[in-house]
Amino acid sequence: RLTDSTSTVESTSTVDPGERVKPTKEAETAGQAALARLEIKKANIKNFNTSYATIKAQVKRELEQERKAQQNAQKAQSEEKAKDKIKDNSLLAVTNVGYRCPYLSDEILSQNEWKVKIREFLYEQLKGEDAGLISCLIIKNCNKEKRKIDVCVETLGKYLENIINNPDEEKYKKIRIQNKIFQDKVVPVEGALEFLNAAGFRQKKLLNNDKEENFLVWSADNCNIENVITLLEALKIAESIPLELDRNLKILLPMQASKQTKLPPTFFNTTSVIISAADERNQMLMTKAMREREENERLNKYKFSLIRIKFPDNLILQGTFSVHESFQNVVNFVTENLINNERPFSLRKLPNTTYNEDSFGKTLLQLDLFPTTILMFSWKNRSEQTNYNESVGYLKEELLSLMQIA
């Protein structure tokens, strides 16, 4: 019954766990290795966060110093303008413009240095079996004036086409060396004589109007028709060995960016026409064609553009671009240096110009982003992931080593 009192006795029992089995030596070794990896990972995370925190603190200090230095800015600018030339390289945003040549090496050299190196390389290769193909590259790479190169290629092409189309005509198999066309259009072009030699022409003395003269004479024994056809195609499609502009990537603190503002002479075309003050005063009298010509002359002054991208943490990413490169290349440059390179972002030029996809195909010259430009970086869509990214920074960790902290 419900009112009846009952008592229960709980039975308890104890279980002897027995003696614990010791892990094997292999298990102990694996466990120690796992612990070591965990400690290294923790240390790396701690070191990076500490490093970034140090950088943020440095940025804050520099911004404060920059504000204090503004009162002396006017005087400093006046002194800078009074200088005829830059004597202190520390004031240069970049010291020079460099190039890479993927076909030869990873060296960074000036354009003129690469021309010398490419020429030496090609003439060394000329000693090999592909002399005909190499001579095509010499024609394209070792001569300055494009017009002369084109005229020479056209003339050489006619020599070979005549042989291909008229293999039995003796008159097409010889070139009189003193011929005016040959002397004017072929001889001055480096690599042209080497090309004719590879195509089967050899120098011989022949009678011409009862007088012995020097000729270049073609023989199938030196180069058969099939190889002549191959060389003709190679001559038509040969191109200059490309050079890639080195971005000269830098990570700058605000104070560094404010000091390093000068550009080297290599940024400009020194042959640009300078418009006189009188011309400027008479702009109202200019025709449309004259104004367009003046604008073109102004634009032709610039060869390169120094692009600086400022991030919300005040770090600045700097790169060098040709003014004829598209804005897409700037976007790619930023993307490849971000920690999170999959999140969409915006680049904005103050006060209120934002560059969208319609601008990506336009050149820096067309967008008026030269000779120097500062673009402000921001994420397009903010989220928790965005906030996390901001806590660890925007740029890849390895880039921070490029920055000098005072």
Side-chain angles (χ1 to χ4, degrees):
R1 290 182 300 179
L2 293 176
T3 57
D4 289 346
S5 63
T6 60
S7 64
T8 60
V9 178
E10 294 183 358
S11 63
T12 60
S13 62
T14 59
V15 179
D16 185 3
E19 187 177 355
R20 184 177 178 182
V21 179
K22 291 185 178 180
T24 64
K25 289 185 178 181
E26 291 79 2
E28 286 183 350
T29 302
Q32 290 171 359
L35 288 173
R37 288 194 298 271
L38 182 60
E39 290 301 321
I40 291 173
K41 185 175 181 181
K42 289 180 178 179
N44 287 340
I45 293 173
K46 182 178 179 181
N47 289 339
F48 173 67
N49 289 339
T50 302
S51 174
Y52 186 66
T54 302
I55 291 170
K56 290 181 71 174
Q58 177 70 17
V59 170
K60 186 176 180 180
R61 287 195 298 271
E62 289 207 355
L63 287 173
E64 183 63 27
Q65 292 173 6
E66 189 173 7
R67 282 192 290 270
K68 291 179 180 179
Q70 283 180 351
Q71 57 186 343
N72 299 322
Q74 189 70 35
K75 180 180 178 181
Q77 289 177 1
S78 299
E79 292 175 351
E80 290 294 329
K81 290 180 180 179
K83 295 179 181 178
D84 292 330
K85 60 181 181 179
I86 302 167
K87 297 180 180 179
D88 186 358
N89 281 348
S90 66
L91 301 179
L92 288 171
V94 288
T95 55
N96 210 334
V97 177
Y99 294 84
R100 300 175 188 271
C101 183
Y103 288 93
L104 269 65
S105 73
D106 290 330
E107 291 179 279
I108 299 175
L109 303 172
S110 70
Q111 202 166 23
N112 288 335
E113 288 171 331
W114 270 121
K115 286 180 180 179
V116 173
K117 201 174 187 70
I118 288 173
R119 186 179 186 279
E120 292 173 349
F121 170 78
L122 291 176
Y123 272 96
E124 184 64 29
Q125 299 301 312
L126 194 61
K127 302 173 185 177
E129 297 179 356
D130 296 326
L133 302 179
I134 297 299
S135 63
C136 295
L137 293 175
I138 291 176
I139 292 172
K140 291 289 186 176
N141 289 275
C142 300
N143 296 283
K144 293 182 179 180
E145 296 184 35
K146 185 179 183 302
R147 184 187 63 81
K148 287 186 176 181
I149 294 173
D150 292 341
V151 170
C152 176
V153 168
E154 182 182 0
T155 305
L156 293 175
K158 287 180 180 178
Y159 291 151
L160 268 58
E161 286 172 353
N162 285 336
I163 292 174
I164 294 168
N165 297 329
N166 307 278
D168 298 325
E169 287 283 349
E170 291 298 322
K171 66 178 181 179
Y172 293 127
K173 298 179 183 180
K174 56 186 179 181
I175 304 168
R176 188 168 67 89
I177 290 180
Q178 292 304 316
N179 176 272
K180 180 173 173 52
I181 292 177
F182 183 75
Q183 286 293 323
D184 291 346
K185 298 181 178 181
V186 177
V187 174
V189 177
E190 200 169 341
L193 296 180
E194 288 82 357
F195 176 81
L196 288 173
N197 184 74
F201 287 86
R202 298 292 185 271
Q203 184 171 325
K204 289 185 179 181
K205 288 187 178 293
L206 299 176
L207 285 177
N208 182 45
N209 296 327
D210 298 327
K211 183 180 179 182
E212 199 173 57
E213 290 190 57
N214 289 319
F215 282 79
L216 290 179
V217 181
W218 178 82
S219 171
D221 294 336
N222 299 324
C223 183
N224 59 41
I225 290 293
E226 288 75 15
N227 288 336
V228 171
I229 294 173
T230 300
L231 285 177
L232 177 60
E233 290 302 314
L235 181 67
K236 291 179 179 179
I237 65 174
E239 296 181 353
S240 297
I241 295 176
L243 297 179
E244 293 181 357
L245 179 64
D246 178 54
R247 295 294 180 218
N248 198 1
L249 186 152
K250 288 185 178 181
I251 307 297
L252 302 174
L253 296 169
M255 186 66 75
Q256 292 171 324
S258 66
K259 290 180 179 179
Q260 298 175 9
T261 58
K262 302 297 181 181
L263 296 175
T266 48
F267 256 63
F268 306 95
N269 280 317
T270 56
T271 56
S272 297
V273 178
I274 299 175
I275 304 300
S276 68
D279 288 335
E280 292 180 357
R281 288 194 298 270
N282 293 329
Q283 279 188 348
M284 295 299 294
L285 301 177
M286 286 184 175
T287 65
K288 180 180 179 181
M290 292 170 67
R291 286 194 294 271
E292 288 178 351
R293 185 172 66 249
E294 179 183 317
E295 178 64 11
N296 288 334
E297 289 169 349
R298 183 185 74 85
L299 296 179
N300 287 336
K301 174 183 177 182
Y302 302 101
K303 297 165 61 178
F304 303 101
S305 177
L306 188 76
I307 303 293
R308 287 175 170 174
I309 297 91
K310 188 172 185 179
F311 291 84
D313 59 3
N314 288 307
L315 292 184
I316 297 169
L317 173 67
Q318 175 179 293
T320 301
F321 296 80
S322 164
V323 295
H324 301 294
E325 288 189 68
S326 68
F327 190 77
Q328 179 68 61
N329 289 359
V330 177
V331 174
N332 295 343
F333 174 67
V334 176
T335 301
E336 65 192 21
N337 289 298
L338 292 174
I339 294 176
N340 185 352
N341 55 18
E342 296 181 356
R343 181 168 293 278
F345 59 87
S346 295
L347 295 175
R348 179 170 56 92
K349 181 181 178 181
L350 296 177
N352 55 6
T353 302
T354 300
Y355 298 97
N356 53 34
E357 292 183 359
D358 293 337
S359 305
F360 288 5
K362 296 181 180 179
T363 67
L364 302 183
L365 197 64
Q366 291 172 325
L367 295 173
D368 202 29
L369 297 176
F370 64 90
T372 59
T373 298
I374 297 178
L375 301 175
M376 311 302 291
F377 175 96
S378 63
W379 296 117
K380 280 189 175 180
N381 302 311
R382 298 190 63 83
S383 65
E384 292 182 4
Q385 180 66 26
T386 303
N387 294 332
Y388 168 76
N389 288 338
E390 291 177 351
S391 69
V392 297
Y394 298 82
L395 297 170
K396 290 180 178 178
E397 180 182 359
E398 57 266 28
L399 296 180
L400 302 182
S401 63
L402 301 176
M403 180 173 53
Q404 295 180 352
I405 300 179

